Amino acid sequence: MQKLLIANRGEIAVRIIRAARELGISTVAVYSESDQGALHVRLADESVLIGPPAAARSYLDMDKIISAAVDLGVDAIHPGYGFLSERAEFADKVVEAKLAFVGPTADSIRLMGDKARARSAAEAAGVPTVPGSDGPVDGLDEALAAAEKAGFPALVKAAAGGGGRGIRIVKDAKELADAIPVAQAEAQAAFGNGQVYVERFVPQARHIEVQIFGDGERFVHLGERECSMQRRRQKVIEEAGAPGLPPHIREAMTSAAVALAAATRYRGAGTVEFLYDAVREEFYFIEMNTRIQVEHPVTEMITGTDLVREQLLVASGEPLSWTQEQIEFRGHSIEVRLNAENPDFGFMPSPGTLKSMQMPGGPFVRIDSGFGPGKEVSPFYDSLFAKLIVWGETRDIAIARMDRALSEVEVEGVVTTADFLRKIVALPEFRKGEYHTTFLEDWMAAADAAGTGAGSAS
Amino acid sequence: MSEQQVQSPLPGLFYLRPAPDQPPFVEVGSVVTADQSVGLVEVMKQFAEVKAGVAGTVTAILVDDAAVVGPGDPVMTIETSD
C-alpha cells in the first residue's frame, strides 16, 4: 500500500492519517464544503473537495469518493466508522475499482448487518444468543413456548423495531397472552410489519464487547471493553477491561468472540458485542460490528498495540502481527467522549467555532480529536469533538487521572459535556464499577426529580 | 390578514419531508394550524420539528429540501387567517 484515501472526517480521519504516515503511506483526505479548514484536510498529503455539507451528497457519496480515489492513483480506501464503513455495497464498489478496502469482505459486512443471519452464524459457532423464540412467533402457543425457554420477565419485541422502540416487558404467561395481540397490532401500525418475537429480559444488563482481529487465517482477541455507561443508547464512557468481570466469564466471552471470527474467516478489526447478565453470570451475543470502533483506543492503551496500523497492514496482505500469546494486558484504560452538547438543556447540540480549546496533558493522557482552536464544530455532523483517553496501572489510578484530566479541559465557543462527564466519574457506582446500561438515565432522572439536575454544574 | 415568516430555530439542514420517501409536510396553498409541523431541521444528527407558529395558508416555500440553514433563516411564509 502506497497511497490511502480516507473516506471520513473528524477525529477518526486524523487517527487514520497518523497511522498511515507512520507506515510511510501517503494520504488523501476527502472533505465537504463545510470542512475546508478541517484538521484532517491539513494533515493529509492531498485533499479533494467532494460536495456540499449534507453527508448524503459528500461523505456518503460512494461514486464521488471512488472516482476521486481512482483519479488520484490511490490503492486503498479506509472507511473509518459510521458513514460508509458498514455498507457492503461500498466495499463491493471499492473492490470492483481494483482498490483495497480496509475492512472485512463485503460478504462479512452483509452477514453481520442482517440480524437474523448474524444470530444464526453466532449459534453455529457455538456463541450463546439471548434465549427466546427462533425468529418471529406465530400465535400464542408459540409465544408461550418461547417464553418458557426465555423465562420471565420476557420481552415482546417488534421484528421491525429498533433503537428501543416496539418493546414490551411481560412478567408472566397471563401478561404475555394479553400483550401478544396488542404488540402485533402496534407493530403493524408503527412499522408496517406485525411480526414479533419473544426473548429473555435481562434487568440491569451490561454491555461488554470483545475486540477481535483476523487476517482470514488466524484470529485473536484483544480483550474486552465495558460500554454500559450509555445515554439514549449512545456510549458515554468506555473502559478496558470490564470492572468486576469474573475471569472465567472473560475467558469464555473472548473465546466465543474468536470462535465467531474464525467461523466467518474474518479479516480485519471487528467487535463482538455481548449483553452480560451479572446475576446469572451469562452472556449473549448481540451483534458484531465490522469496523474500527470509536472506543478502540482503550484497547490500544492496555495492550500497547496500534489497531489502525494493523488494519492497514492486514489490508496490504500482511499476516497478523501477533499471536494470541503475544498480546499482553497491562493496567486499565478509560475513554470519555467530549461532545459539543449542552447537558443543561437536554443535550441540545451546540455547534460553533472553538474560540479556544485547551486539552489536558501529562503522563498517560491521550487526546484524539479532529479539531483545534479556531476550528468550527459544524451543525452537519456528529457532536463528538474530542476523545479523552487515560491509562493507569490500576482502575483507581485511571479514574483519578481521568478526573484530573477532565478538570484541565477548557473550551470556549461551544458548550461541552466535560463537567457532566466529570460528575459521572465521581459517582460511587462508577467508582465501584457497579453500573449497567440503564444506570445513567436512571441517575439523570433521579437527579432531575431531586432538583439537583444531572446536567447542572453544581 | 398578514404574512408571517417561519424561521429555522437552529443551524443545520432543513427538510421539507418527514422522510425522503414521504410526501412533504406542506405545499404552497396548504392550510396549517399554529402547532402543525412544517419542516424538520437536522443539527448534529438530531432532528427537531419546526412548527408553523401561526394558523393560516402557506404562500411561499423559500428553501429547497435539505437546504443549509442558519438560525433565524426564513424557510416559508404563511398568510394568517385572522
Side-chain angles (χ1 to χ4, degrees):
Chain A
M1 193 184 297
Q2 310 274 307
K3 194 170 179 178
L4 173 74
L5 181 143
I6 297 96
N8 216 299
R9 63 181 301 282
E11 70 86 17
I12 194 64
V14 169
R15 170 76 187 85
I16 296 162
I17 290 167
R18 286 175 171 155
R21 176 151 297 167
E22 289 171 17
L23 283 167
I25 299 168
S26 77
T27 51
V28 178
V30 294
Y31 63 99
S32 73
E33 284 161 12
S34 57
D35 274 342
Q36 311 250 3
L39 188 60
H40 76 284
V41 178
R42 187 170 73 72
L43 292 181
D45 297 304
E46 291 172 82
S47 57
V48 196
L49 175 66
I50 45 160
R57 297 175 62 197
S58 50
Y59 297 105
L60 289 171
D61 190 326
M62 304 185 198
D63 294 332
K64 252 188 222 165
I65 289 170
I66 291 171
S67 69
V70 171
D71 288 349
L72 288 169
V74 156
D75 43 28
I77 296 183
H78 195 313
Y81 54 66
F83 293 127
L84 296 170
S85 60
E86 288 176 292
R87 297 270 288 272
E89 185 192 352
F90 183 62
D92 273 335
K93 285 186 175 208
V94 171
V95 173
E96 278 161 27
K98 306 257 186 295
L99 308 174
F101 179 74
V102 183
T105 61
D107 283 345
S108 286
I109 299 174
R110 227 170 256 126
L111 172 67
M112 292 305 166
D114 179 330
K115 262 185 188 288
R117 281 181 64 208
R119 184 182 158 111
S120 305
E123 282 168 356
V127 179
T129 54
V130 185
S133 57
D134 296 319
V137 290
D138 197 14
L140 191 55
D141 287 345
E142 254 187 66
L144 283 167
E148 205 63 29
K149 271 204 290 180
F152 287 102
L155 289 177
V156 179
K157 269 180 155 176
R165 299 196 313 145
I167 295 180
R168 349 176 115 230
I169 300 171
V170 291
K171 283 201 309 283
D172 51 37
K174 184 180 178 312
E175 280 195 13
L176 179 70
D178 292 343
I180 288 288
V182 184
Q184 284 173 333
E186 271 182 6
Q188 184 63 44
F191 310 111
N193 172 354
Q195 293 189 320
V196 297
Y197 56 98
V198 177
E199 66 180 38
R200 174 174 293 171
F201 170 63
V202 180
Q204 309 210 327
R206 286 168 66 181
H207 173 122
I208 301 177
E209 59 187 30
V210 176
Q211 176 72 54
I212 58 100
F213 226 110
D215 59 10
E217 304 284 328
R218 286 193 302 126
F219 313 92
V220 299
H221 72 82
L222 293 102
E224 83 286 1
R225 293 186 289 257
E226 165 68 67
C227 303
S228 303
M229 199 62 87
Q230 299 182 2
R231 187 187 150 266
R232 293 195 174 174
R233 295 178 173 252
Q234 294 294 309
K235 296 165 188 170
V236 174
I237 299 181
E238 298 106 341
E239 306 188 60
L245 189 66
H248 68 282
I249 300 294
R250 173 177 293 117
E251 173 61 33
M253 193 185 274
T254 52
S255 301
V258 171
L260 181 57
T264 58
R265 306 203 65 74
Y266 195 79
R267 186 192 72 203
T271 296
V272 184
E273 295 189 338
F274 294 101
L275 186 146
Y276 177 57
D277 182 338
V279 177
R280 286 187 168 99
E281 289 200 348
E282 284 179 13
F283 60 87
Y284 316 114
F285 172 79
I286 308 173
E287 63 176 6
M288 178 167 178
N289 298 318
T290 54
R291 53 171 156 82
I292 193 77
Q293 306 239 142
V294 176
E295 60 272 26
H296 77 273
V298 291
T299 297
E300 296 181 324
M301 298 294 267
I302 63 161
T303 54
T305 57
D306 180 337
L307 297 178
V308 178
R309 175 191 174 91
E310 192 67 15
Q311 283 190 297
L312 297 175
L313 292 174
V314 167
S316 308
E318 303 276 328
L320 266 190
S321 300
W322 340 279
T323 62
Q324 190 65 63
E325 296 67 39
Q326 285 171 327
I327 297 165
E328 288 174 28
F329 300 93
R330 182 144 189 268
H332 192 87
S333 182
I334 305 172
E335 170 181 283
V336 298
R337 300 188 187 197
L338 290 164
N339 289 344
E341 290 171 353
N342 190 340
D344 289 338
F345 289 96
F347 292 82
M348 167 125 45
S350 175
T353 300
L354 294 157
K355 291 195 199 80
S356 71
M357 178 173 161
Q358 291 260 22
M359 287 289 113
F364 310 115
V365 174
R366 167 174 165 184
I367 303 291
D368 278 18
S369 175
F371 298 90
K375 300 288 185 200
E376 198 204 341
V377 184
S378 90
F380 307 113
Y381 312 107
D382 206 271
S383 59
L384 177 74
F385 77 93
K387 303 188 305 202
L388 163 55
I389 306 112
V390 301
W391 178 88
E393 282 177 86
T394 65
R395 185 169 184 266
D396 286 347
I397 293 171
I399 290 173
R401 185 162 284 143
M402 179 58 84
D403 178 65
R404 186 273 294 169
L406 278 168
S407 76
E408 293 177 17
V409 173
E410 259 187 57
V411 174
E412 281 177 273
V414 304
V415 182
T416 81
T417 51
D419 289 341
F420 172 71
L421 292 165
R422 203 171 167 208
K423 274 201 246 175
I424 302 173
V425 169
L427 292 174
E429 291 87 350
F430 179 75
R431 302 249 154 173
K432 284 185 281 184
E434 289 171 4
Y435 60 94
H436 47 81
T437 49
T438 55
F439 167 79
L440 182 56
E441 285 180 351
D442 293 347
W443 173 74
M444 287 169 63
D448 278 345
T452 50
S456 66
S458 57
Chain B
M1 304 258 267
S2 71
E3 291 242 303
Q4 292 271 340
Q5 278 188 339
V6 180
Q7 298 175 336
S8 175
L10 296 161
L13 295 169
F14 189 84
Y15 296 99
L16 297 168
R17 298 163 187 274
D21 57 351
Q22 285 179 30
F25 287 99
V26 292
E27 291 171 88
V28 171
S30 297
V31 175
V32 295
T33 58
D35 64 355
Q36 185 172 337
S37 295
V38 296
L40 269 183
V41 59
E42 177 186 357
V43 49
M44 288 176 157
K45 290 157 75 175
Q46 293 190 38
F47 291 85
E49 289 192 347
V50 178
K51 306 282 187 193
V54 289
T57 305
V58 176
T59 52
I61 293 174
L62 309 172
V63 292
D64 292 331
D65 190 39
V68 172
V69 292
D73 281 2
V75 290
M76 52 186 77
T77 54
I78 294 174
E79 193 171 85
T80 58
S81 36
D82 50 299

